[in-house]
Amino acid sequence: MTVYATAENLLVVQQAITDLVSGKRQVKVEYTTPQGSKNSMQYTEVSLSELRALEQQMRNELTPMPLMESVDVEVQF
Protein backbone atom coordinates (compact mmCIF):
# COMPACT_ATOMS: atom_id res chain seq x y z
CA MET A 1 0.00 0.00 0.00
CA THR A 2 1.37 3.39 -0.97
CA VAL A 3 1.09 6.21 1.53
CA TYR A 4 1.22 9.54 -0.27
CA ALA A 5 3.02 12.49 1.25
CA THR A 6 0.32 14.99 2.05
CA ALA A 7 0.00 17.37 4.98
CA GLU A 8 -2.96 15.34 6.24
CA ASN A 9 -1.07 12.02 6.04
CA LEU A 10 1.91 13.58 7.82
CA LEU A 11 -0.41 14.54 10.69
CA VAL A 12 -1.73 10.96 10.82
CA VAL A 13 1.82 9.58 11.02
CA GLN A 14 2.74 12.07 13.73
CA GLN A 15 -0.38 11.08 15.71
CA ALA A 16 0.54 7.40 15.32
CA ILE A 17 4.01 8.18 16.71
CA THR A 18 2.46 9.99 19.68
CA ASP A 19 0.02 7.14 20.29
CA LEU A 20 2.78 4.51 20.08
CA VAL A 21 5.09 6.38 22.45
CA SER A 22 2.32 7.08 24.97
CA GLY A 23 1.08 3.47 24.95
CA LYS A 24 -2.30 4.26 23.37
CA ARG A 25 -1.65 2.29 20.20
CA GLN A 26 -2.91 -1.26 20.53
CA VAL A 27 -2.23 -3.86 17.88
CA LYS A 28 -4.59 -6.56 19.12
CA VAL A 29 -8.16 -6.19 20.35
CA GLU A 30 -10.05 -9.05 21.98
CA TYR A 31 -13.73 -8.92 22.82
CA THR A 32 -16.69 -11.15 23.65
CA THR A 33 -19.95 -10.82 21.74
CA PRO A 34 -23.33 -10.76 23.55
CA GLN A 35 -23.78 -14.38 22.44
CA GLY A 36 -20.61 -15.34 24.35
CA SER A 37 -18.22 -15.99 21.48
CA LYS A 38 -14.74 -14.56 21.76
CA ASN A 39 -13.29 -12.58 18.87
CA SER A 40 -10.02 -10.81 18.28
CA MET A 41 -8.65 -8.51 15.63
CA GLN A 42 -4.94 -8.11 14.93
CA TYR A 43 -3.67 -4.88 13.41
CA THR A 44 -0.38 -4.42 11.65
CA GLU A 45 2.45 -3.90 14.08
CA VAL A 46 4.80 -1.01 13.48
CA SER A 47 7.92 0.13 15.25
CA LEU A 48 8.83 3.64 16.27
CA SER A 49 11.79 3.63 13.88
CA GLU A 50 9.51 2.69 10.96
CA LEU A 51 7.12 5.52 11.80
CA ARG A 52 9.99 8.01 12.21
CA ALA A 53 11.42 6.97 8.82
CA LEU A 54 8.01 7.42 7.18
CA GLU A 55 7.62 10.81 8.85
CA GLN A 56 11.03 11.96 7.59
CA GLN A 57 10.31 10.68 4.08
CA MET A 58 7.03 12.61 4.00
CA ARG A 59 8.69 15.77 5.31
CA ASN A 60 11.33 15.51 2.59
CA GLU A 61 8.70 15.07 -0.12
CA LEU A 62 6.54 17.93 1.16
CA THR A 63 9.40 20.40 1.66
CA PRO A 64 12.28 19.30 -0.54
CA MET A 65 15.63 20.87 0.11
CA PRO A 66 16.95 22.88 -2.81
CA LEU A 67 19.79 21.25 -4.68
CA MET A 68 21.60 24.57 -4.91
CA GLU A 69 20.90 27.82 -3.18
CA SER A 70 22.84 29.90 -5.64
CA VAL A 71 25.05 29.40 -8.65
CA ASP A 72 27.92 31.66 -9.57
CA VAL A 73 28.79 31.61 -13.24
CA GLU A 74 31.77 33.32 -14.74
CA VAL A 75 31.88 33.61 -18.51
CA GLN A 76 35.23 34.36 -20.10
CA PHE A 77 35.53 35.53 -23.70
Side-chain angles (χ1 to χ4, degrees), residues 30-72:
E30 296 179 337
Y31 61 95
T32 304
T33 65
Q35 294 78 23
S37 62
K38 294 184 179 183
N39 293 314
S40 66
M41 296 177 72
Q42 182 88 23
Y43 297 96
T44 303
E45 294 185 32
V46 65
S47 69
L48 181 58
S49 62
E50 291 171 323
L51 285 173
R52 288 283 188 205
L54 180 58
E55 177 189 31
Q56 188 60 46
Q57 177 187 348
M58 286 184 169
R59 285 181 185 271
N60 291 342
E61 289 180 25
L62 290 172
T63 55
M65 294 185 65
L67 295 176
M68 293 182 264
E69 289 189 19
S70 64
V71 177
D72 291 331

Side-chain angles (χ1 to χ4, degrees), residues 3 6 8-9 13 17 21 24-28 30 34 38-39 41-42 46 51 57 60 70-71 73 75-76:
V3 178
T6 64
E8 294 81 18
N9 285 345
V13 170
I17 290 170
V21 171
K24 293 179 185 176
R25 188 173 176 86
Q26 296 183 356
V27 293
K28 186 173 184 180
E30 296 179 337
K38 294 184 179 183
N39 293 314
M41 296 177 72
Q42 182 88 23
V46 65
L51 285 173
Q57 177 187 348
N60 291 342
S70 64
V71 177
V73 177
V75 178
Q76 295 180 354

